[in-house]
Amino acid sequence: MDTVNILGVKIAAVDIMQAADRIMQMTEEEGVHSVYTPNSEIVLNAYKDNDFCKLLNRADLLVADGIGVVYASKFVKKPLKSRAAGFDIAMELLPRLAKQKKKLFLFGSKPGIAEKAAEIFCQRNPGLVIAGCRNGYFSPDENDEIVAEINASGADVVFVCLGAPAQEKWIDKNKDALNVKVLMGIGGSLDAVTGNMPRAPKWWQDHGVEWLYRLIKQPKRFFRMLALPKFAVTVFANGRKFPQD
Ligand code: UDP
């Protein structure tokens, strides 16, 4: 699969449909696959933390969740055609999972959110099988129980919604103990679908300002969002030093 190297992180050149197709293929293959959806903040974290960078690159698929990553790909002269937001890929997967009779487990977010999201997913996608739901607030000594619960559910795909970088670290650490086909880290997607923290309207998404909408709705993200200009400066200074395949 064609990739673009953004500050050491190898992002696949796929759109939403291609990502969903690839993930469905994974459900037919041997082994456990991981899918992460880095945005500028995550890529910047990886640039500063080599272990985290290696962790991300161990994924079977890395897609560009944020518009910043798309701009960066243009700057390094290997342009991605579009973003492939984790939320959109997840929504695209649901009817396919229903059609192929693959089971989905929802893991993460505050108590009750996964169950509410499951209800909405099933209403919109008749035939979809939800293997189980589990909120994302737990102590380390409950981890084995969560792994056992997911394994016992017979899930094929798990949406892991613990926020970044916790979800990527959780997936990397627990992957070998899980007997599922795909683990996909998609942050606040369950909040978005339940209306707990709605996504920006389409105009904002299409004009590359979803981040601004988010900042207005969640001003306490301001300090996290300082990663955006820092990412831009870092890409400008160092982005072209990374080799492209
Ligand atoms: N979350 C969780 N467990 C935690 C901390 C956070 O399940 O210990 C959930 C939180 O409820 C929210 C998601 O992780 O649903 C993080 O959402 P955010 O939009 O911050 O995702 P990010 O932008 O970090 O990917």
Side-chain angles (χ1 to χ4, degrees):
M1 191 170 276
D2 199 22
T3 59
V4 52
N5 186 338
I6 309 289
L7 301 179
V9 180
K10 296 189 176 171
I11 310 275
V14 288
D15 62 19
I16 295 161
M17 296 293 178
Q18 290 165 328
D21 286 344
R22 177 68 196 106
I23 293 167
M24 288 310 293
Q25 266 175 11
M26 291 173 187
T27 67
E28 299 293 340
E29 292 169 4
E30 285 299 307
V32 187
H33 304 78
S34 47
V35 179
Y36 307 139
T37 62
N39 58 15
S40 314
E41 186 188 6
I42 312 294
V43 174
L44 187 64
N45 282 348
Y47 175 73
K48 292 181 190 156
D49 175 350
N50 194 36
D51 287 342
F52 185 55
C53 186
K54 285 188 193 149
L55 183 158
L56 288 184
N57 286 327
R58 278 198 288 276
D60 297 275
L61 181 65
L62 288 173
V63 299
D65 189 85
I67 194 71
V69 178
V70 176
Y71 287 141
S73 72
K74 291 183 179 153
F75 182 75
V76 303
K77 301 199 186 305
K78 210 167 172 205
L80 293 167
K81 286 198 194 94
S82 63
R83 293 171 72 183
F87 179 91
D88 295 323
I89 297 168
M91 295 309 110
E92 199 52 51
L93 275 174
L94 297 176
R96 298 170 197 226
L97 294 171
K99 199 167 163 215
Q100 304 291 325
K101 304 258 173 287
K102 302 286 181 190
K103 293 188 194 170
L104 174 67
F105 194 104
L106 305 179
F107 172 40
S109 300
K110 298 209 173 93
I113 299 289
E115 288 80 359
K116 208 168 150 191
E119 223 178 284
I120 297 170
F121 288 163
C122 290
Q123 268 165 18
R124 292 184 193 162
N125 300 277
L128 180 68
V129 181
I130 301 292
C133 296
R134 178 67 163 81
N135 74 71
Y137 293 81
F138 56 96
S139 62
D141 55 357
E142 288 172 293
N143 198 64
D144 288 351
E145 181 200 307
I146 294 172
V147 168
E149 188 181 332
I150 295 173
N151 282 340
S153 76
D156 298 287
V157 175
V158 187
F159 289 168
V160 184
C161 306
L162 304 174
Q167 62 205 8
E168 290 77 14
K169 290 182 178 171
W170 188 89
I171 291 172
D172 194 69
K173 184 162 159 260
N174 293 285
K175 201 175 169 214
D176 293 342
L178 286 159
N179 60 13
V180 301
K181 294 292 187 187
V182 181
L183 295 159
M184 184 172 171
I186 50 169
S189 293
L190 302 182
D191 292 316
V193 79
T194 56
N196 203 34
M197 182 48 64
R199 270 192 95 189
K202 198 160 178 323
W203 187 92
W204 297 70
Q205 292 181 37
D206 291 347
H207 290 79
V209 286
E210 185 165 18
W211 60 272
L212 178 61
Y213 182 88
R214 211 137 181 227
L215 181 61
I216 295 165
K217 292 281 175 188
Q218 288 176 284
K220 65 178 184 212
R221 290 181 80 93
F222 175 76
F223 289 102
R224 274 184 70 180
M225 285 200 170
L226 287 178
L228 275 168
K230 283 186 199 153
F231 172 76
V233 169
T234 311
V235 169
F236 201 67
N238 301 310
R240 288 188 184 155
K241 293 177 191 159
F242 289 82
Q244 302 299 334
D245 294 333

